Amino acid sequence: MRQDPFGGGDRRQPGRAPRRRFGMRFIVLLLFAGYGAYYYFSNQSVDPVTGETVLIDRALDVKQEKALGLEAYQEILGQERPVDPDSEISKEVRLIAERLIAKVDVVEAELAREHGLEPTRFSETFEWEVNVLESDQANAFCLPGGKMAVYTGLIPVAKNSDALAVVMGHEIAHALLRHGAQRMAQQKLTQVGQMAGAMSGMDPQQQQMVMAAMGYGYLLPYARKHETEADNVGLMLAAAACFDPREAVPLWERMSEASGGQAPPEFSSTHPNPGTRIQTLEALMPKALEYRAKFCEDAQGSSASLPQRT
């Protein structure tokens, strides 16, 4: 063994290297946290429709968002079978969509006015399109750019045009509020967190625990908030388009029955449970009826049954 000529010997002490590794891990986490905070605060804006501060990447412009929506829509249409556009149900769905779309501007402006803000008119360049897709799913969607679809499985659950308009209004609201862009920004923050965990030397179990905490504490509550916002805006939109917003409550009761009560606990879901949703809709009902009286030119319309497919 080589002798130290100054008699110092090996001065390394047990535990010193681990402390150095811990210090490096802290620095890496601090750097990523700083970048995440910068990204979060530099990409915030106020949504005039909800009055809420939202996170949307400023690098994502409207054209890019529409292009992403169109790409996703074309991919879905390549996998799902659209119903004959001349069928009764397709015509009825298009008619409902036309009535809802015709009220987008006035509802957007009215909600923004309530918050003392000017509307963004984000949907002015939307190229609206709606298809009915053959599927047992009781579902519908509206992508950025106005590309919409209603699944045939939703028809027997909705039962009437008013209830279907509530669902379609809800989906249109997601596109108007740019919830897709907000989710993309959240995913970027999630990726930053994953990179921080990997580069700081966390083991897979530690990384999984951190991401689970982020999911339950931030991502899932934010997703449920999106659903509540879409319920609010969608209900006002359906009411302004002369549909009866009161059909929203029995609709969600039927949706709950159709799911067989198999929904996960609310804290672990992206959606509010049906009971919470119904309470929210009931609380919004007086305002929705005011919108119907104010913006519907014919507030005496009746609930029409939807054509049943054979």
Side-chain angles (χ1 to χ4, degrees):
M1 175 176 162
R2 182 175 177 273
Q3 297 295 318
D4 185 346
F6 298 100
D10 190 351
R11 296 183 180 271
R12 288 180 300 175
Q13 299 176 2
R16 190 171 180 180
R19 281 201 297 272
R20 203 156 42 231
R21 287 196 296 270
F22 178 80
M24 182 58 67
R25 175 182 293 184
F26 179 77
I27 291 171
V28 170
L29 289 174
L30 190 62
L31 289 172
F32 274 100
Y35 174 75
Y38 168 77
Y39 179 83
Y40 180 82
F41 288 107
S42 64
N43 287 284
Q44 287 190 340
S45 59
V46 176
D47 187 325
V49 175
T50 63
E52 298 284 339
T53 299
V54 299
L55 179 67
I56 297 178
D57 197 318
R58 296 187 186 278
L60 180 69
D61 61 28
V62 175
K63 288 184 179 180
Q64 291 173 316
E65 198 171 337
K66 285 176 56 181
L68 290 171
L70 178 59
E71 182 181 353
Y73 194 63
Q74 290 173 336
E75 184 177 343
I76 292 169
L77 291 183
Q79 298 171 351
E80 308 279 358
R81 184 164 65 90
V83 173
D84 182 356
D86 292 325
S87 66
E88 279 190 75
I89 191 59
S90 293
K91 291 178 181 178
E92 180 66 23
V93 167
R94 283 201 303 273
L95 180 61
I96 293 171
E98 288 168 6
R99 287 171 58 179
L100 292 168
I101 292 165
K103 295 297 182 179
V104 164
D105 285 348
V106 294
V107 169
E108 185 181 9
E110 181 68 8
L111 289 170
R113 184 193 64 77
E114 291 174 5
H115 297 111
L117 300 167
E118 290 295 322
T120 62
R121 305 293 184 191
F122 173 67
S123 64
E124 279 187 337
T125 61
F126 278 17
E127 297 171 0
W128 298 96
E129 181 182 336
V130 60
N131 274 288
V132 178
L133 302 180
E134 187 72 52
S135 172
D136 291 335
Q137 295 183 59
N139 209 350
F141 65 79
C142 181
L143 298 170
K147 305 306 181 185
M148 304 172 60
V150 171
Y151 291 103
T152 54
L154 180 61
I155 305 305
V157 180
K159 288 191 176 181
N160 58 65
S161 57
D162 293 304
L164 186 56
V166 168
V167 178
M168 293 174 66
H170 171 100
E171 299 303 332
I172 289 173
H174 277 307
L176 296 179
L177 298 174
R178 302 187 69 185
H179 284 164
Q182 292 181 44
R183 285 193 295 273
M184 289 176 67
Q186 290 169 342
Q187 288 169 0
K188 186 166 184 177
L189 280 179
T190 302
Q191 290 169 353
V192 169
Q194 290 172 332
M195 290 175 62
M199 294 184 68
S200 67
M202 285 186 183
D203 62 44
Q205 185 176 5
Q206 289 173 321
Q207 293 180 46
Q208 188 175 11
M209 289 174 62
V210 170
M211 297 314 299
M214 186 176 181
Y216 286 115
Y218 173 62
L219 298 177
L220 290 176
Y222 210 75
R224 292 193 293 271
K225 183 180 179 183
H226 282 178
E227 291 300 313
T228 300
E229 289 175 349
D231 279 344
N232 185 340
V233 176
L235 194 67
M236 302 308 137
L237 189 58
C242 300
F243 294 101
D244 189 348
R246 290 167 293 194
E247 284 295 321
V249 172
L251 163 71
W252 282 107
E253 290 172 344
R254 293 193 295 271
M255 291 285 274
S256 179
E257 292 172 1
S259 69
Q262 298 301 312
E266 184 170 280
F267 76 89
S268 63
S269 175
T270 57
H271 289 60
N273 68 44
T276 301
R277 195 163 222 158
I278 288 170
Q279 287 180 352
T280 300
L281 291 167
E282 287 175 336
L284 289 169
M285 207 56 64
K287 181 178 178 180
L289 292 173
E290 288 177 7
Y291 267 59
R292 191 167 192 258
K294 184 174 183 178
F295 298 111
C296 173
E297 293 78 10
D298 179 17
Q300 304 303 315
S302 60
S303 179
S305 298
L306 291 169
Q308 296 302 307
R309 306 192 68 244
T310 56

